[in-house]
Amino acid sequence: MAASTSYGKAFGKRLGARSSGYASRALSKAMLAVTELRYDDPQHVLSTPPVEEDAFVVALHLKFFPRYRYWENDRPARESSLLPGQIIIYDIKRKPIFHLNDSFHSVHYYFPRAALDAVAEEAGVPSVTDLHYNPGVCMDDPVVRDLTFTLLPLFADPQNVPRLFMDSVLVGVAHHVACRYGGMRVRPVTAASGLTRWQQVRAKELISANLDGNLPLAALAAECGMSMRQFLKAFKLSVGATPHQWLLRRRIELAQMLLRDPDLPIPAVASSCGFSDQSHLTRVFTAKVGMTPAVWRRECRK
């Protein structure tokens, strides 16, 4: 099978757009991906069709697209407008194309059939047969919109985004899409009592041992003998934060401890705490503590 042209750099190249994205193996049987596209120079031509595959793309549009002319299987949909903050669904099997008659800015989630099947299998329910949508028509979806807005600042440097966080978001969006548009019906997650003591200790040990955030969510859940859905709900119930939020808290606590040593360079502190560099530490530390690491260090010495 030819490589997909519906996510990542190949996606951007196909449309002549700038792209930035992240691909995840959170689901062992399938790839999940998210791609930000910026198209600034309209060529007024039809887009190149994607490589045909059994996959869907769910796109959130961030800029008004006034005359959206769209085709599936060479059949035109009714002309419409794409509104900021709304989503549109594409079935790649149907050879979707559209007229590149205006600039756009959008974020696209890539879900192959195998990913939706894996989500259903983990939930212990029948597979999703299809996603239901009207071709070329955008829809309100507050869940996809709000989760996407949390990702937007991260596309500037996707290589330094913790896998734990991105895995959680992509699996969450896939689960939501399967339920809302695929009719998947899931049983309530049985995690009312949260994590047991040994599960909580083990989870925190693993996160602390992987402060760069590159521990896969699936591996963390498996260590606790739970599905990803069960683990995320139980962890938040027990700890009061998501695994990613607890990771950031642990990073900051360790950074504060190390910053008390006046002879330890701040870049070394950043490296020891799982940050990619000093500027990464400074951004996160300032957001959480309210001052830069250098200022915090000086305040501690007064």
Side-chain angles (χ1 to χ4, degrees), residues 192-222:
S193 58
L195 298 175
T196 64
R197 179 173 176 78
W198 77 263
Q199 287 172 325
Q200 189 172 158
V201 169
R202 182 58 177 153
K204 289 181 177 180
E205 284 177 347
L206 286 169
I207 295 173
S208 297
N210 294 271
L211 288 176
D212 59 2
N214 283 328
L215 176 69
L217 175 62
L220 191 56

Side-chain angles (χ1 to χ4, degrees), residues 102-291:
D102 211 328
S103 59
F104 63 83
H105 179 201
S106 50
V107 174
H108 299 249
Y109 295 90
Y110 167 79
F111 301 125
R113 169 74 60 184
L116 297 179
D117 288 346
V119 167
E121 181 181 338
E122 187 186 55
V125 297
S127 296
V128 172
T129 56
D130 208 350
L131 297 187
H132 305 288
Y133 66 96
N134 292 320
V137 177
C138 57
M139 301 169 282
D140 283 313
D141 192 319
V143 173
V144 174
R145 182 191 64 224
D146 293 348
L147 285 173
T148 302
F149 285 164
T150 68
L151 298 183
L152 283 178
L154 307 178
F155 286 113
D157 190 12
Q159 300 305 313
N160 288 319
V161 177
R163 287 179 64 183
L164 191 60
F165 175 67
M166 290 299 288
D167 286 356
S168 300
V169 172
L170 286 176
V171 171
V173 174
H175 188 273
H176 167 74
V177 166
C179 289
R180 179 160 180 172
Y181 305 104
M184 187 173 79
R185 295 289 180 263
V186 298
R187 305 181 187 94
V189 175
T190 56
S193 58
L195 298 175
T196 64
R197 179 173 176 78
W198 77 263
Q199 287 172 325
Q200 189 172 158
V201 169
R202 182 58 177 153
K204 289 181 177 180
E205 284 177 347
L206 286 169
I207 295 173
S208 297
N210 294 271
L211 288 176
D212 59 2
N214 283 328
L215 176 69
L217 175 62
L220 191 56
E223 281 288 328
C224 294
M226 308 175 82
S227 72
M228 285 185 286
R229 269 182 77 236
Q230 289 174 324
F231 175 76
L232 287 171
K233 184 169 183 178
F235 189 95
K236 187 167 185 178
L237 185 62
S238 298
V239 180
T242 66
H244 178 67
Q245 290 168 338
W246 192 86
L247 167 67
L248 291 181
R249 185 189 306 166
R250 184 72 186 97
R251 281 176 167 180
I252 296 300
E253 290 172 351
L254 180 58
Q256 289 174 321
M257 182 182 75
L258 296 177
L259 285 167
R260 294 182 184 277
D261 180 354
D263 298 323
L264 188 63
I266 292 180
V269 173
S271 178
S272 299
C273 298
F275 295 99
S276 57
D277 52 31
Q278 181 174 345
S279 63
H280 186 200
L281 165 64
T282 299
R283 288 196 306 272
V284 177
F285 193 97
T286 302
K288 298 295 183 182
V289 181
M291 62 184 76

Side-chain angles (χ1 to χ4, degrees), residues 16-37:
R18 289 180 290 139
S19 64
S20 177
Y22 178 88
S24 167
R25 283 286 182 184
L27 301 171
S28 59
K29 297 181 179 180
M31 174 79 73
L32 299 169
V34 59
T35 307
E36 180 190 36
L37 294 180

